[in-house]
Amino acid sequence: MKIQESGENYLETILLLKKKKGAVRSVDVAVEMNFSKPSVSRAMNILKTAGHIEIDQNGFIKLTEQGDALARSVYERHELLTFFLRKLGVSEETAAKDACRIEHVISAETFEKIKEAM
Amino acid sequence: MKIQESGENYLETILLLKKKKGAVRSVDVAVEMNFSKPSVSRAMNILKTAGHIEIDQNGFIKLTEQGDALARSVYERHELLTFFLRKLGVSEETAAKDACRIEHVISAETFEKIKEAM
DNA sequence: AATAAAAGTTAGCACATCCTAACTTATTTG
DNA sequence: CAAATAAGTTAGGATGTGCTAACTTTTATT
């Protein structure tokens, strides 16, 4: 099963929370993304089944090597796009919001070209 | 009912086909987008209900004023984004493909800033 | 006129992705 | 310890959006 855009967002959020708070549980993801607990619960199961995360007995979420790579890749795209949009004069808030949407749909080629342009 | 990303794509395609062939029927949209006839049939009903298109007795699709404005807006974003990506060095094929995905998710603000940059 | 081809619709499936309601389980606290 | 709080799950619903199968209707062709 190929990862979906929503899956990428969940992984990205997990990475973000890990940086920000150290440990991450489902409820943290739910609060951060403003989603219901059941939505996150199901999403975590899908990510677990796909081998992107592991959940220990205490409910703490760990990215697997694979999941971590994916999360970092999305996060990198996000950071670059935000920076790029800011350079174009887009406001911080809008840049973040748009980056979050664009990050899932741009090709590797476009990503590289933007990188070069910066 | 707010228009969806798929709805924007259908409107854009209708506008494109109108430019290219003059008259547009459901089947033309289906062929152009590589979708099944039932998928297009339903989409056209949704667009019709929302007041974006009208369909005459012969099955010819006409954009309403509202639908036309929307279609042109999407199309404009598409053109600008393609041009912008080409300028960045992205290949023609990828630029078209990425533009088609980005055009639905960028804010008016980002659109304006890209416009200014060009 | 009979058959074939083309266009469109209806019905129903699949999947992604969000939700609420209601439950279990575990932890905290008065 | 009993009750409250917090975390997680199960069950089921809604919407968007694609599909196939099978039907109708219209148009064209032989």
Side-chain angles (χ1 to χ4, degrees):
Chain A
M1 219 189 313
K2 223 182 126 198
I3 189 136
Q4 301 296 317
E5 176 166 332
S6 80
E8 288 190 350
N9 271 324
Y10 282 111
L11 288 180
E12 191 185 8
T13 301
I14 292 166
L15 181 62
L16 184 86
L17 290 173
K18 192 147 277 175
K19 278 177 196 265
K20 208 158 79 178
K21 310 176 51 177
V24 186
R25 286 162 312 163
S26 274
V27 69
D28 304 318
V29 176
V31 168
E32 176 70 25
M33 300 180 83
N34 231 309
F35 286 163
S36 70
K37 284 188 296 161
S39 295
V40 176
S41 179
R42 171 157 30 165
M44 292 308 107
N45 261 313
I46 291 168
L47 290 176
K48 195 169 64 181
T49 301
H52 296 304
I53 61 169
E54 276 165 11
I55 304 183
D56 72 18
Q57 290 124 329
N58 298 309
F60 290 107
I61 300 165
K62 290 221 153 65
L63 293 164
T64 61
E65 197 174 322
Q66 182 196 136
D68 190 62
L70 230 167
R72 279 178 198 286
S73 148
V74 178
Y75 193 73
E76 189 192 353
R77 272 179 273 161
H78 181 89
E79 295 280 275
L80 180 75
L81 282 167
T82 307
F83 190 64
F84 183 63
L85 293 176
R86 291 286 292 139
K87 280 268 176 186
L88 284 176
V90 177
S91 72
E92 187 148 1
E93 204 190 10
T94 305
K97 213 188 60 193
D98 283 9
C100 194
R101 305 261 267 141
I102 300 172
E103 74 196 22
H104 305 289
V105 304
I106 60 165
S107 61
E109 186 188 340
T110 293
F111 177 67
E112 283 310 316
K113 293 300 180 187
I114 292 177
K115 213 175 193 171
E116 282 171 27
M118 301 303 297
Chain B
M1 219 189 312
K2 223 181 127 197
I3 189 134
Q4 301 296 318
E5 177 167 330
S6 81
E8 289 190 349
N9 270 325
Y10 282 112
L11 289 179
E12 191 185 8
T13 300
I14 292 165
L15 181 63
L16 184 85
L17 290 173
K18 192 147 277 175
K19 278 176 196 265
K20 207 157 81 179
K21 310 176 50 177
V24 187
R25 285 163 313 164
S26 273
V27 70
D28 304 318
V29 176
V31 168
E32 176 70 27
M33 299 180 84
N34 230 310
F35 285 164
S36 71
K37 285 189 297 161
S39 295
V40 177
S41 179
R42 173 165 32 176
M44 292 309 108
N45 262 313
I46 291 168
L47 291 176
K48 194 169 65 179
T49 301
H52 295 305
I53 60 170
E54 277 163 11
I55 304 182
D56 72 18
Q57 289 123 330
N58 298 310
F60 289 107
I61 300 165
K62 290 222 153 62
L63 293 163
T64 61
E65 197 174 322
Q66 183 197 137
D68 190 62
L70 231 166
R72 280 178 198 287
S73 148
V74 179
Y75 193 73
E76 190 192 351
R77 271 180 274 162
H78 181 89
E79 295 281 275
L80 180 74
L81 283 166
T82 307
F83 190 65
F84 183 63
L85 294 176
R86 291 287 291 138
K87 281 267 176 187
L88 283 177
V90 177
S91 73
E92 187 147 1
E93 202 190 10
T94 305
K97 213 188 61 193
D98 282 10
C100 194
R101 305 262 266 141
I102 301 171
E103 73 196 21
H104 304 288
V105 305
I106 60 165
S107 62
E109 185 187 341
T110 293
F111 177 67
E112 283 310 316
K113 293 300 181 187
I114 291 178
K115 212 176 195 170
E116 281 170 26
M118 300 303 297

